[in-house]
Amino acid sequence: MILAISVITYVLVMVLIGLYVSRKVKSTGDYVLAGRSLPFYMALATVFATWFGSESILGASTKFAEGGFGNVIEDPFGAALCLIIAGLFFNRKLYNLSFLTIGDYFKNRYNTIIAVILSTAIIISYFGWVAAQFLALGLVLSTVIPALSLPLAILFAAAIVTAYTFFGGMYSVATLDTIQAVVIIAGLGTIFVYALSKIGGVDVFIAQTPPEFWRVIPESSQSLTEWIIFITALMTIGFGSIPQQDVYQRAMSAKSASISVWASVIGGLLYFSVVLIPLFIAGIARILYPDVLADNPQNLILTLVGDHTPMFVQILFFGALVSAIISTASGALLAPGTLLAENIIKPFFNEIGDKFRLLIIRCAVILVAFGGIILALKEDARIYELVSSAYSVTLVAGFIPLAVGLYSKRANSFGALVSIISGISVWQYWEHVVVSDIPGTFMGFAASGIGMVIGTFIGSFIQREEKVMV
């Protein structure tokens, strides 16, 4: 009962803070990018919170317990790499362009068709991610409140996140991210200390963990296929998330280009460091509960917390877990809602005022939330499956047009179109037709790059012919 009351109180306090902060929203720029006003500490917190959701605490930790670092190359290694690369090579250039969405960049750099295609692909990739966060928060609420069925808990979770995202936008997201980052680090840090004490300290943990668990790179230096699989896992989120709207939105909300750059770089390092905590907690739990590891590894951390920690630590843990999920869910909801409104719906209107524009974005947030709820309520919904391919489509379709467009004046719309079509087509063909150990996303990414080069070359001749005809 104490645990349930504590978690409910915490959630309600977060909602009230989010609604209070929503008073700052006066325009579309305020709602989407927090008026580009975030100081360094808030920008750092909101970048850090980009992926720190259910996957970080329960998903990645389970994979580590099953096979060590080799199982978690995508996250946290690839996720941290994404933030660092974005900060060093993309944020300053994009910040100085002052666009509201990543789709606006594609429209300005190429054309409306490219913007609509890529915006649609990005939006689709978010529905499963939003659903996963709703499902995870619903599972937590139904666990601490046994009287609450899972479907009702999912609906309650969706209502919570949607409410403060609808009213406060990025201002609410950034403010709550700042608070929740502290709760996450404090909660997980405390549990790690308790867990270590139960097995006798760091030396025992290292001694009872298989040596291969600490290996990051492939064991065989001679196997090209193993290295391709490793590189693909690293760049799926590492490159594939850079064209994502939530990464863009969080970085572009900073007060200056320099803050945007360093918030991302340091945020990536902080994210990697903090995610190691739940990984190591799960590593300790695998020693304490070999039977749970064999039967239901996803319950490792929950079992450890329930059996070996006092009530105040359990409150800290569930507070950290709820914080992580809410932080990720809010940004994941706002990002596709913004893209849907700005780059899919708004083009159908000739002239609209800022208030109506803001209303469209808020309505789009609700629409995305409904899509997430439908997926989360499916009987066979699983968190991992809902998010497993979220970044593949943007890796094979969006990264090359973004990177080449920013760094090459020769890039043109025909090249971008060929890149998108080549990347998606080869990716899907390789996944569903070709029998190979080489991942389809790697082949799709390679095809996207080749398509960009060939398409840009052909497109330059098309542009010359058009100029001659004019």
Side-chain angles (χ1 to χ4, degrees):
M1 178 63 82
I2 296 175
L3 180 60
I5 292 173
S6 300
V7 172
I8 292 173
T9 301
Y10 175 80
V11 170
L12 291 177
V13 169
M14 290 298 103
V15 172
L16 291 175
I17 292 174
L19 294 176
Y20 177 78
V21 174
S22 68
R23 299 181 309 154
K24 293 184 178 181
V25 176
K26 307 297 182 184
S27 66
T28 302
D30 292 340
Y31 187 76
V32 176
L33 299 178
R36 287 187 145 203
S37 64
L38 299 185
F40 176 77
Y41 74 93
M42 291 187 74
L44 175 63
T46 196
V47 169
F48 160 76
T50 303
W51 294 293
F52 211 105
S54 57
E55 279 295 289
S56 302
I57 297 179
L58 300 178
S61 62
T62 299
K63 289 186 177 182
F64 178 81
E66 292 175 323
F69 280 140
N71 273 12
V72 293
I73 299 302
E74 286 188 22
D75 186 9
F77 290 94
L81 180 66
C82 168
L83 297 177
I84 295 170
I85 291 175
L88 293 176
F89 300 105
F90 291 85
N91 285 10
R92 189 176 298 277
K93 286 179 174 289
L94 289 170
Y95 192 94
N96 292 333
L97 293 173
S98 299
F99 293 125
L100 198 66
T101 70
I102 194 71
D104 290 342
Y105 164 77
F106 288 121
K107 180 180 178 180
N108 180 271
R109 183 62 181 83
Y110 299 112
N111 57 37
T112 302
I113 294 174
I114 299 298
V116 170
I117 292 173
L118 287 177
S119 295
T120 302
I122 294 169
I123 290 167
I124 291 172
S125 73
Y126 275 104
F127 279 97
W129 183 244
V130 170
Q133 305 314 310
F134 287 168
L135 174 59
L137 187 53
L139 286 168
V140 172
L141 293 176
S142 63
T143 298
V144 300
I145 311 172
L148 194 64
S149 67
L150 181 58
L152 283 177
I154 290 172
L155 292 174
F156 183 51
I160 292 168
V161 178
T162 304
Y164 78 76
T165 305
F166 177 87
F167 289 106
M170 186 52 73
Y171 267 125
S172 290
V173 171
T175 301
L176 295 185
D177 284 348
T178 304
I179 298 171
Q180 290 160 349
V182 176
V183 176
I184 289 168
I185 295 172
L188 292 178
T190 302
I191 292 164
F192 180 58
V193 171
Y194 265 88
L196 273 179
S197 69
K198 295 301 178 182
I199 62 169
V202 176
D203 293 340
V204 176
F205 172 45
I206 294 175
Q208 295 192 32
T209 300
E212 62 269 18
F213 269 50
W214 308 112
R215 185 181 297 115
V216 177
I217 62 175
E219 181 177 6
S220 174
S221 60
Q222 303 299 318
S223 174
L224 179 61
T225 300
E226 284 187 22
W227 275 97
I228 290 176
I229 293 172
F230 170 77
I231 292 170
T232 302
L234 195 62
M235 70 181 185
T236 297
I237 296 181
F239 289 177
S241 285
I242 292 176
Q244 290 279 10
Q245 175 64 16
D246 61 334
V247 175
Y248 175 88
Q249 231 166 304
R250 291 173 186 270
M252 296 304 110
S253 297
K255 186 182 290 186
S256 69
S258 294
I259 289 177
S260 176
V261 168
W262 290 110
S264 285
V265 173
I266 297 174
L269 296 173
L270 179 64
Y271 175 81
F272 179 79
S273 302
V274 176
V275 172
L276 290 179
I277 300 175
L279 298 192
F280 292 162
I281 292 173
I284 294 170
R286 69 176 293 279
I287 298 171
L288 293 171
Y289 302 103
D291 53 331
V292 176
L293 177 66
D295 297 334
N296 193 355
Q298 289 192 85
N299 284 340
L300 274 171
I301 291 183
L302 294 176
T303 303
L304 185 150
V305 172
D307 290 357
H308 287 291
T309 60
M311 180 56 65
F312 86 92
V313 176
Q314 293 182 35
I315 292 171
L316 274 176
F317 170 75
F318 281 103
L321 183 55
V322 169
S323 293
I325 296 170
I326 290 178
S327 293
T328 302
S330 56
L333 192 57
L334 181 61
T338 303
L339 269 180
L340 179 61
E342 281 291 300
N343 300 108
I344 306 297
I345 298 175
K346 199 183 83 171
F348 287 97
F349 298 89
N350 292 325
E351 295 291 336
I352 61 173
D354 192 69
K355 286 186 177 181
F356 185 53
R357 186 185 184 193
L358 181 56
L359 178 61
I360 293 174
I361 295 175
R362 281 175 161 158
C363 290
V365 165
I366 294 177
L367 185 62
V368 173
F370 271 116
I373 290 170
I374 291 171
L375 287 177
L377 289 174
K378 290 177 63 178
E379 289 186 5
D380 58 345
R382 296 291 185 272
I383 295 172
Y384 180 76
E385 283 76 8
L386 286 170
V387 302
S388 60
S389 62
Y391 305 106
S392 297
V393 65
T394 44
L395 173 66
V396 303
F399 178 78
I400 294 297
L402 173 63
V404 176
L406 281 175
Y407 281 93
S408 174
K409 294 181 179 179
R410 294 185 178 182
N412 55 49
S413 56
F414 189 77
L417 182 62
V418 174
S419 174
I420 295 167
I421 294 173
S422 301
I424 293 176
S425 299
V426 171
W427 167 47
Q428 288 299 298
Y429 178 78
W430 204 270
E431 288 284 338
H432 299 291
V433 178
V434 178
V435 179
S436 173
D437 291 331
I438 297 176
T441 45
F442 178 84
M443 299 305 297
F445 179 76
S448 177
I450 295 170
M452 189 75 191
V453 173
I454 296 174
T456 298
F457 181 73
I458 296 173
S460 63
F461 282 98
I462 295 174
Q463 289 176 348
R464 289 177 192 172
E465 290 295 326
E466 290 176 346
K467 289 180 180 178
V468 171
M469 291 178 66
V470 172

